[in-house]
Amino acid sequence: MPTYRLSTILWLVMLALTCIAAYFAEQPQLSLTLIGVVLFITVIKAAMIVDYFMCLRDAPLFWRGLLMAYVPLVSLIITATYAIDFS
Amino acid sequence: MSQQLLSSSTSDGNSIDIAAQDDEVTEAAPINTESNTIAYAPKGRLPGDLAMWFFILAELTAFALLFSIYAVVRAKNPEMFAEGQAGLDIRAGLANTLALLSSSFFVACAVASVEAGRKGRACIELIAAISMGAFYVVVKLTEYSHSISLGYDITTNAFYQFYYLLTAFHFLHVVLGMLILIYITLRVHKGAYSDGNIQGMESGACYWHMVDLLWLVLFPLVYVLH
């Protein structure tokens, strides 16, 4: 269980990362780099939620691994479909 | 929790040193003063019930399939999806993301508060979390109402089919999560977790975090990447 202070810091970081991702939505041209950055931000936020809010940091590796791998895997699929679209 | 425990933790600069003098402290909870953490969950323990984790796994799988199908259909109809996504209000998506992240934060704090025996504070945090969920519901319904008034409904095209399917499915999860949080709040208020067994609360909290996790993917997929 994280401390209140750590939870607060993580929460504020996630809010800031979300605003950065929303800023990218205003960019006129979508590129693979932009998609990579936005999805990387999503992966970071998801890892924070899994490890600290869900308290899986010290949980059995199987469950932590499943939850930690979820967003990166989905992000990879999304990126792949954009890569096919661009090609 | 004894006052001695509380004061010893605060004198060490502990971050759980919230002014809780008026808070009803119910039960002694073990506090690890050296690492400044509440040491209730032992290392290697899965928080909540195992059944809830299988349920969460099933939900995540269902959404992963929906996300993948959406991404594939989008790749086949990029213009249609880009036009549809451009018609969405990014501010609504942003507001909902911030609301759900804040809600998750309050729920995580509430679990920590219950572990520390501060049920009054936990109730306030849970009410804050439910309020954030209610904010999401209002914004989403306003968004739906606006889109429908402009003539964009589920029959318009493939984008709107997926938009309504994905977001409405998630919306139902938010509503269910809010009901669970209301139930947990009532239980906390009655002191149901004061015996130290907070598995039920942890299960509900993890379900709520899963709802947040899913929206973290939905937000860039539907609102940002176009």
Side-chain angles (χ1 to χ4, degrees):
Chain A
M1 175 64 62
T3 62
Y4 283 108
R5 188 178 300 157
L6 177 60
S7 294
T8 307
I9 291 168
L10 292 173
W11 171 52
L12 294 174
V13 168
M14 284 192 279
L15 295 187
L17 288 173
T18 302
C19 293
I20 293 169
Y23 167 76
F24 286 129
E26 303 298 321
Q27 301 304 305
Q29 193 66 40
L30 187 65
S31 66
L32 266 184
T33 311
L34 194 66
I35 293 166
V37 170
V38 169
L39 291 178
F40 183 64
I41 287 173
T42 305
V43 168
I44 293 172
K45 287 192 291 184
M48 288 176 179
I49 287 179
V50 169
D51 257 4
Y52 294 101
F53 285 4
M54 284 181 160
C55 298
L56 290 184
R57 193 172 172 80
D58 295 323
L61 195 62
F62 172 76
W63 288 102
R64 186 184 178 219
L66 274 181
L67 270 288
M68 285 295 261
Y70 181 76
V71 173
L73 276 176
V74 172
S75 298
L76 267 180
I77 293 169
I78 295 168
T79 310
T81 60
Y82 275 95
I84 292 166
D85 177 21
F86 290 156
S87 65
Chain B
M1 183 188 314
S2 69
Q3 280 300 92
Q4 194 179 4
L5 259 177
L6 269 177
S7 57
S8 67
S9 59
T10 50
S11 64
D12 290 345
N14 197 328
S15 56
I16 55 167
D17 56 352
I18 307 101
Q21 288 87 351
D22 299 333
D23 208 354
E24 187 179 340
V25 177
T26 53
E27 181 77 16
I31 292 189
N32 180 350
T33 52
E34 286 191 9
S35 61
N36 290 345
T37 57
I38 300 157
Y40 226 106
K43 217 175 166 94
R45 186 179 78 83
L46 187 66
D49 295 320
L50 187 62
M52 177 55 89
W53 282 102
F54 279 110
F55 180 63
I56 286 173
L57 211 56
E59 297 280 12
L60 289 175
T61 307
F63 270 97
L65 282 172
L66 285 174
F67 293 149
S68 304
I69 295 168
Y70 173 96
V72 170
V73 176
R74 191 217 62 83
K76 287 186 174 177
N77 307 278
E79 286 86 15
M80 180 205 291
F81 274 65
E83 192 183 331
Q85 286 174 285
L88 299 179
D89 190 350
I90 181 74
R91 291 169 303 174
L94 176 63
N96 275 344
T97 312
L98 299 179
L100 286 185
L101 281 173
S102 303
S103 185
S104 253
F105 164 70
F106 286 126
V107 168
C109 288
V111 173
S113 294
V114 168
E115 283 180 333
R118 296 169 175 154
K119 74 172 190 178
R121 183 185 169 90
C123 281
I124 292 168
E125 286 161 341
L126 283 167
I127 289 168
I130 294 163
S131 304
M132 291 286 112
F135 176 81
Y136 167 94
V137 167
V138 170
V139 171
K140 202 74 220 145
L141 288 177
T142 308
E143 225 185 329
Y144 285 151
S145 166
H146 181 66
S147 292
I148 290 168
S149 69
L150 292 175
Y152 299 119
D153 57 31
I154 200 158
T155 60
T156 305
N157 59 29
F159 168 74
Y160 280 100
Q161 275 178 10
F162 274 101
Y163 167 70
Y164 283 113
L165 176 71
L166 271 172
T167 56
F169 193 36
H170 182 267
F171 181 89
L172 292 176
H173 283 75
V174 172
V175 173
L176 176 62
M178 284 173 65
L179 293 175
I180 291 171
L181 289 183
I182 290 168
Y183 174 73
I184 288 173
T185 308
L186 294 174
R187 299 255 304 154
V188 170
H189 184 66
K190 286 178 185 170
Y193 302 111
S194 55
D195 60 353
N197 182 7
I198 60 159
Q199 269 205 326
M201 185 183 188
E202 285 178 335
S203 297
C206 285
Y207 178 83
W208 189 252
H209 295 314
M210 177 209 72
V211 170
D212 186 21
L213 198 67
L214 291 171
W215 183 260
L216 287 188
V217 180
L218 257 172
F219 173 59
L221 187 64
V222 175
Y223 290 90
V224 178
L225 301 177
H226 63 86

